Each structure stands twice: as C-alpha cells, then as structure tokens.
Amino acid sequence: MIKNVVLIIAGFSGGAMIAAAIFAIIVSVRVINRAAYITKTQKFIRAYEECAIWGVIFANIVFIFDVSLPLNAVAVGAVAFFMGTFTGVFLASLAETLKVMPIGLRRSKLTMGLGIVILILALGKMCGGFIGLNN
C-alpha cells in the first residue's frame, strides 16, 4: 500500500514538473502573447493562459492514468487540428524569438510563401497527431 502511494506521488510529481517546464517554455517564448497580438485579442490573454494551464493538467492526468477517450474520426481530426495549430504557432514564436527566421530566410532565399511553409509544418503535425491518436 505504501509502495503504491509513493509511486503515485512520484509519478504525479514528475508529470507536474514536466508540465511546469513545458508551460515555462511556452511563457518564455511568449506564444500566448504573440497569438493574442496577432489576433488582436489581448484582452483575453488571461483566459488563454488559463486554458493552457488546464490543458497541461488534463494532458498530465490522461498520460499518468492512461485514460482512453472514445473519440470518433471527427473528434480525433479536431484534436489533431488543434495540436497542429498549437505546434505551428509555437514553432513560429520560437523561431521569431530566437531570431532564426531572418537567417533562415536569407540562406534559403525564401521571399514569398512563409505562411505556406508554416501551414505545411502545422499540417504535418496534425497528420502525425491524427495517426498517433488513432493507434
């Protein structure tokens, strides 16, 4: 009994630390602020942050307790779409923060179609999420 309690506490603590680290990266890269600025919804930043925190908590619980959600293909597609959208926004914010975008654009001589490149990255992540959730 004590062994199980210790394992539960250790598992939850480890997951909580990973979740906190991921959220710290998201905050330091300013993904939420950048998305709010682009969409002109700065007044909802607090709500976006709350959704991010609850999403991390929910994902942590699903991962730790191996929860299986019965989702149909449409729901899996919607989840994969949101995963891809998040990844695309995160990568764009990270690249912008690290000033990688100008260097990469100069080296590749890409002057047009940057939005398409980001869309392709997000669609790739969405397809991967769709396949991963279906297995």
Side-chain angles (χ1 to χ4, degrees):
M1 175 73 175
I2 293 175
K3 181 180 177 182
N4 290 339
V5 171
V6 169
L7 285 174
I8 289 170
I9 291 171
F12 188 76
S13 299
M17 293 204 37
I18 296 297
I22 290 171
F23 190 71
I25 290 172
I26 291 170
V27 169
S28 68
V29 174
R30 304 182 63 84
V31 172
I32 296 172
N33 293 349
R34 182 75 178 138
Y37 175 75
I38 289 172
T39 59
K40 296 179 180 29
T41 56
Q42 292 94 337
K43 61 185 174 184
F44 297 114
I45 287 179
R46 181 134 173 118
Y48 295 152
E49 290 172 348
E50 288 288 327
C51 287
I53 290 169
W54 284 109
V56 169
I57 290 171
F58 177 73
N60 192 20
I61 290 170
V62 167
F63 182 75
I64 287 175
F65 296 110
D66 197 25
V67 176
S68 178
L69 302 173
L71 300 175
N72 62 15
V74 174
V76 171
V79 169
F81 173 76
F82 288 120
M83 289 171 64
T85 301
F86 170 78
T87 301
V89 169
F90 180 74
L91 289 175
S93 296
L94 181 62
E96 185 176 304
T97 300
L98 298 176
K99 307 293 188 233
V100 172
M101 202 68 78
I103 296 168
L105 291 176
R106 269 188 250 123
R107 287 187 181 171
S108 67
K109 297 181 177 32
L110 181 67
T111 57
M112 295 175 53
L114 181 61
I116 293 172
V117 171
I118 293 173
L119 177 66
I120 290 171
L121 288 171
L123 288 174
K125 178 62 178 173
M126 181 183 78
C127 291
F130 183 72
I131 291 168
L133 287 174
N134 246 353
N135 289 334

Coordinates of all heavy atoms in Angstrom, one line a residue, residues 100-110:
V100 N 15.7 33.3 -35.6 CA 16.2 32.3 -36.6 C 15.5 32.6 -38.0 O 16.1 32.3 -39.0 CB 15.8 30.9 -36.1 CG1 16.0 29.8 -37.2 CG2 16.6 30.5 -34.9
M101 N 14.3 33.1 -37.9 CA 13.6 33.3 -39.2 C 14.3 34.2 -40.2 O 14.5 33.8 -41.3 CB 12.2 33.9 -38.8 CG 11.2 33.7 -39.9 SD 10.7 32.0 -40.1 CE 9.6 31.8 -38.7
P102 N 14.9 35.3 -39.8 CA 15.6 36.1 -40.8 C 16.8 35.4 -41.4 O 17.1 35.5 -42.6 CB 16.0 37.4 -40.0 CG 15.2 37.4 -38.8 CD 14.8 36.0 -38.5
I103 N 17.5 34.7 -40.5 CA 18.7 34.0 -41.0 C 18.3 32.9 -42.0 O 18.9 32.7 -43.0 CB 19.5 33.4 -39.8 CG1 20.1 34.5 -38.9 CG2 20.7 32.5 -40.3 CD1 20.6 34.1 -37.6
G104 N 17.3 32.1 -41.6 CA 16.8 31.0 -42.4 C 16.3 31.5 -43.8 O 16.5 30.9 -44.8
L105 N 15.6 32.7 -43.7 CA 15.0 33.2 -45.0 C 16.1 33.7 -45.9 O 16.1 33.5 -47.1 CB 14.1 34.4 -44.6 CG 12.8 34.0 -44.0 CD1 11.9 35.2 -43.6 CD2 12.0 33.0 -44.9
R106 N 17.2 34.3 -45.3 CA 18.3 34.8 -46.1 C 19.0 33.6 -46.8 O 19.4 33.7 -47.9 CB 19.3 35.7 -45.3 CG 18.9 37.1 -45.4 CD 20.0 38.0 -44.7 NE 19.4 38.5 -43.5 CZ 19.9 38.3 -42.3 NH1 21.0 37.7 -42.1 NH2 19.2 38.8 -41.2
R107 N 19.3 32.6 -46.0 CA 20.0 31.5 -46.6 C 19.2 30.7 -47.6 O 19.8 30.2 -48.5 CB 20.4 30.5 -45.4 CG 21.5 31.1 -44.6 CD 22.0 30.1 -43.6 NE 23.1 30.8 -42.8 CZ 23.6 30.2 -41.7 NH1 23.2 29.0 -41.3 NH2 24.5 30.8 -41.0
S108 N 17.9 30.6 -47.4 CA 17.1 29.8 -48.3 C 16.6 30.7 -49.5 O 16.0 30.2 -50.4 CB 15.9 29.2 -47.6 OG 15.0 30.2 -47.2
K109 N 16.8 32.0 -49.4 CA 16.4 32.9 -50.4 C 14.8 32.9 -50.6 O 14.3 33.1 -51.7 CB 17.1 32.7 -51.7 CG 18.6 33.0 -51.6 CD 19.3 32.8 -52.9 CE 20.7 33.1 -52.9 NZ 21.6 32.9 -51.8
L110 N 14.1 32.5 -49.5 CA 12.7 32.5 -49.5 C 12.1 33.9 -49.3 O 12.3 34.4 -48.2 CB 12.2 31.5 -48.4 CG 10.7 31.3 -48.3 CD1 10.2 30.5 -49.6 CD2 10.4 30.5 -47.1

